Amino acid sequence: MTVNMATPVAGVALLPLLSLGLLFVLGPLPGGGSCGCQGGSREHAGEHSKQAAHRYSREANQPLREEPTRTPPQMVLVPAGVFTMGTDEPGIPPDGEGPARRVHIDAFHMDRHEVSNAAFKQFVDSSGYKTEAEQFGDSFVFEGLLSEEVKSSIQQAVAAAPWWLPVKGANWKHPEGPDSNIFERMDHPVLHVSWNDAVAYCTWAGKRLPTEAEWEYACRGGLENRLFPWGNKLEPKGQHQANIWQGVFPTSNTAEDGYLQTSPVTEFPPNGYGLYNMVGNAWEWTADWWTVHHSPEETHNPTGPPTGTDRVKKGGSYMCHKSYCYRYRCAARSQNTPDSSASNLGFRCAADVVSED
Ligand SMILES: [Ca+2]
Ligand SMILES: [Ca+2]
């Protein structure tokens, strides 16, 4: 793998901004016909009298509609608000989880779930896009998922995390190397996508990556100062709420939650905003550069440092166990270079709220 490409985002970030408007125009109406366009132009006779009658109707004399926005398909409207970002009781202090600070967030749209293999395939089919892992020719795969044949062909490993192996031919279509495929996993999160790949996809879809603050606000689902999107207890009433690691990492995964690897993107209950798998399943890229130093001051829509070397990822993955990666919490965070890719790292997109006017 190479790291630190000189200008990682300039090219893709300027792609079709026009499609942004188009997507929202074409999107369905959440209110079900509340645009007043139902009925079409089926008849012209009596149009004047109908218009006159309409002027005095209850509908015409009601206040303006309360919902001035359209939520794109497969997204939710995350309402504006203020929340406590980070924590003063960090699970992993070196990660810069603290201090707890008040952050105001404008309303925005968020993908209901991680971008799936099926959705990413649509992007690739229509654009011809090649991911960085495909260009580099390799990507990092968790050793426990590899066939003996693939494993025996690899010498190099990461000293600090020997369970990560660079596998030739591993990419989003072949998550565990050339002898694997995604045919049975089209509704699972796409993996082996770099930050640059994620930006390219979101731009193509008329969206963008969420900021770290937006992501964490969305993760909390309207709850204040809780560890997880659903509360403080990992398994309320003995029910698994997320796809993480049960057993002993990295040697024994009992998969008590039902999944040894990734799960479908809509598995497990959604949080208070209707968002699935914000923690667990696949790590998710955010737009921000990485830093572990945060001002305790109150901010509005923070976007992170202006520059950096790594990008922030949030939420942990199916590989996270409390013993070594207690990062399946909303305040938890980690980082990778923008061209990194791995078998537990994906993303979802956000979008600005666009007024109907
Ligand atoms: Ca699991
Ligand atoms: Ca996730």
Side-chain angles (χ1 to χ4, degrees):
M1 299 282 292
T2 61
V3 292
N4 297 338
M5 290 167 57
T7 51
V9 294
V12 284
L14 295 175
L15 280 173
L17 291 175
L18 277 178
S19 65
L20 186 78
L22 190 60
L23 190 89
F24 287 104
V25 169
L26 296 176
L29 294 164
S34 55
C35 66
C37 53
Q38 279 185 337
S41 55
R42 211 170 347 148
E43 50 182 307
H44 291 285
E47 195 64 37
H48 281 294
S49 61
K50 270 167 54 185
Q51 286 176 0
H54 178 74
R55 275 200 295 277
Y56 301 104
S57 70
R58 193 171 60 175
E59 181 192 354
N61 287 285
Q62 279 185 339
L64 289 174
R65 292 176 52 228
E66 287 182 0
E67 191 185 355
T69 60
R70 297 178 183 184
T71 302
Q74 300 307 314
M75 300 190 94
V76 299
L77 177 66
V78 180
V82 57
F83 80 113
T84 303
M85 184 171 178
T87 174
D88 287 331
E89 298 174 349
I92 304 177
D95 283 354
E97 296 178 14
R101 59 240 186 236
R102 297 295 279 173
V103 172
H104 298 254
I105 298 288
D106 290 342
F108 65 101
H109 292 121
M110 187 76 149
D111 281 350
R112 285 184 189 281
H113 49 72
E114 297 144 338
V115 172
S116 67
N117 283 318
F120 199 79
K121 183 175 185 301
Q122 281 188 326
F123 161 55
V124 168
D125 286 350
S126 80
S127 66
Y129 187 83
K130 277 225 176 314
T131 60
E132 292 196 286
E134 289 169 286
Q135 294 176 47
F136 295 142
D138 64 14
S139 187
F140 279 96
V141 183
F142 173 54
E143 179 188 18
L145 303 177
L146 293 173
S147 66
E148 288 304 321
E149 191 180 341
V150 169
K151 226 187 304 189
S152 65
S153 68
I154 301 166
Q155 286 100 41
Q156 182 190 353
V158 182
W163 48 82
W164 282 117
L165 296 178
V167 175
K168 279 196 171 50
N171 58 51
W172 72 278
K173 287 183 283 191
H174 306 287
E176 295 85 36
D179 58 356
S180 66
N181 63 61
I182 54 173
F183 300 153
E184 305 297 319
R185 292 179 276 179
M186 294 310 287
D187 59 348
H188 287 224
V190 64
L191 305 172
H192 296 293
V193 279
S194 68
W195 186 90
N196 298 313
D197 298 331
V199 168
Y201 173 93
C202 291
T203 306
W204 169 82
K207 304 177 185 180
R208 59 176 173 79
L209 282 178
T211 65
E212 181 182 8
E214 286 174 332
W215 193 99
E216 185 170 328
Y217 178 61
C219 180
R220 294 177 180 279
L223 301 176
E224 187 67 10
N225 286 319
R226 297 293 191 275
L227 290 171
F228 311 116
W230 56 87
N232 275 335
K233 201 168 171 196
L234 181 60
E235 294 166 20
K237 297 178 182 165
Q239 300 294 309
H240 290 283
Q241 304 293 314
N243 182 11
I244 55 175
W245 183 293
Q246 292 88 37
V248 181
F249 187 88
T251 52
S252 162
N253 186 348
T254 61
E256 281 166 30
D257 58 21
Y259 295 95
L260 197 61
Q261 304 182 44
T262 53
S263 72
V265 293
T266 53
E267 196 66 28
F268 301 96
N271 75 0
Y273 292 147
L275 300 167
Y276 293 86
N277 292 300
M278 290 298 289
V279 299
N281 214 27
W283 276 101
E284 299 175 25
W285 289 111
T286 74
D288 295 21
W289 289 112
W290 171 261
T291 180
V292 295
H293 305 292
H294 314 287
S295 164
E297 286 176 18
E298 196 160 335
T299 53
H300 289 73
N301 304 304
T303 54
T307 59
T309 57
D310 290 1
R311 297 285 184 176
V312 178
K313 60 180 183 180
K314 296 282 280 183
S317 80
Y318 65 90
M319 285 175 58
C320 278
H321 185 274
K322 191 171 182 178
S323 64
Y324 92 109
C325 176
Y326 185 33
R327 294 191 175 94
Y328 42 89
R329 295 168 292 115
C330 293
R333 53 206 301 275
S334 190
Q335 89 278 23
N336 280 106
T337 56
D339 61 351
S340 295
S341 61
S343 59
N344 65 348
L345 179 48
F347 68 104
R348 78 181 71 205
C349 309
D352 292 335
V353 168
V354 178
S355 167
E356 282 185 22
D357 298 333

